[in-house]
Amino acid sequence: MAAGKGGRRELNRRVLLLWGRGEGADWRVYLDHNATTPLAPEAAQAVQDAMLQAWGNPSSSHPAGRKAKELIGCARESLARMVGGRPEDIVFTSGGTEVGAAAEESKDKGRRPFSGPSFSPLPFSLQANNMVIHTARRHFRESQARPGDSRGTPHIVTSSVEHDSIRLPLEQLVKESLAEATFVAVSPRSGRAEVDDILAAIRPTTCLVSIMLANNETGVIMPVTELSQRIHALNQWRVAEGLPRILVHTDAAQMIGKGRVDVQELGVDYLTIVGHKFYGPRIGALYVRGPGTTTPLLPMLFGGGQERSFRPGTENTPMIAGLGQAAELVSKNWEAYKAHMQDVRDYLEARLEASFGKQRIHLNSHFMGSKRLCNTSNFSILGPGLQGQRVLSRCKTLLASVGAACHSEKGDRPSAILLSCGIPYDVAQNALRLSVGRDTTRADVDLVVQDLVQAVAQLDQDQAP
């Protein structure tokens, strides 16, 4: 589905890399849309318009401030419409400083503040995940029946294939003895964190279950709706027994724009929204079912009272405007986007098998009985010396990854996600993750497969005696 016209459409469809300044250019086909997407022209225009016309401080009462505030309100409505919630359930997030509040929490128990790479600033909008963990832990502690009536250490359940913005904060909290965490292994048959396995991990002290809606590497869609239903029933019994309510969170970063996302259907308390995954700017939001009333939400920062004091700090009006426009595109077009991307993805896998032979292609994201994202293909080209990074280094057209972009420095070490899904080590080592976009065409796929064939031929020749 082309977004924009003429040159804008072509710019979105492919990435033009300039080698040097004005000394020639080389066209490359971008198939790494799970890492990030280009900014939709409509979203870019919304950002520019807001920068020029809505530059006032949204907290100011004069016309310039009111215009900015109105624009933010419209964007909030657009995001709510996109996920089936209410505008008042949307909280905009941004920046890396939210992690500082976690350091404050360690001080209140006489421990050193969090430090090191685990709590370096995370990507912009994924601060929502940290905010949920912070809230669940604090709410557990503050909702004790009376002072001194300790329920023990808060416990959080997640899966073994979550994004680092869930995994790393939990590992650090465990290290600091501020929380306990269970990382439920995914089934090697389905690639999913199964509901029964998640429920089996729940303890009397469990306060949060956080399971991503779709995995960024395999594309496998998790059973979040069923999980929410089962936990809702369990919570009724827990309340009667005086046990803490279990909150449910899902990170929908990969699903939005590629499939249906409806918070009423999902039944979650929290849902993470990540703009740059659906052709928006690098800002995001957190859906909370009745923030501060139905569902707890505790601030990580304290300041000017913006975002109803849940996330203070002067709002980034242009980025929020761009996010709202990107959400409008999703609301209007997601079904067409999904159909197009699935067609191109399926064509890609068919062409790979036709070009290399079915015996040489292992489709790592195919799991019996599981649904997956419409745009994602994780596969390995089998053979010695064909590690994913080596294959990509010989490609002249393809721009892609071997897995999550934030793990790209790990060289030939296979993805921990694939290993968790039961993919053999030598197969996982050769993995490539190709994720098509709204404007990827079958012609692009033909170029990419041709490029992979020549890259593998070079590497096979290098292996020859």
Side-chain angles (χ1 to χ4, degrees), residues 425-456:
Y425 189 97
D426 58 331
V427 176
Q429 206 170 27
N430 288 17
L432 296 170
R433 181 193 68 180
L434 272 55
S435 45
V436 307
R438 298 173 186 174
D439 300 293
T440 309
T441 66
R442 288 189 172 205
D444 290 329
V445 167
D446 290 336
L447 290 173
V448 163
V449 173
Q450 181 181 353
D451 194 30
L452 286 169
V453 168
Q454 69 81 26
V456 169

Side-chain angles (χ1 to χ4, degrees), residues 53-130:
Q53 301 168 20
W55 45 264
N57 189 319
S59 297
S60 299
S61 58
H62 50 62
R66 290 198 300 272
K67 184 166 187 175
K69 186 174 182 178
E70 180 181 346
L71 199 59
I72 291 171
C74 290
R76 200 184 307 277
E77 291 176 359
S78 295
L79 264 71
R81 187 160 44 248
M82 178 179 71
V83 299
R86 305 174 303 167
E88 57 265 36
D89 294 334
I90 301 296
V91 178
F92 292 110
T93 62
S94 127
T97 53
E98 275 93 332
V99 297
E104 171 271 324
E105 285 197 61
S106 65
K107 292 178 185 176
D108 69 20
K109 296 190 102 174
R111 296 180 172 86
R112 64 177 177 80
F114 295 134
S115 60
S118 293
F119 270 85
S120 60
L122 291 167
F124 282 99
S125 48
L126 296 187
Q127 303 319 314
N129 291 348
N130 278 249

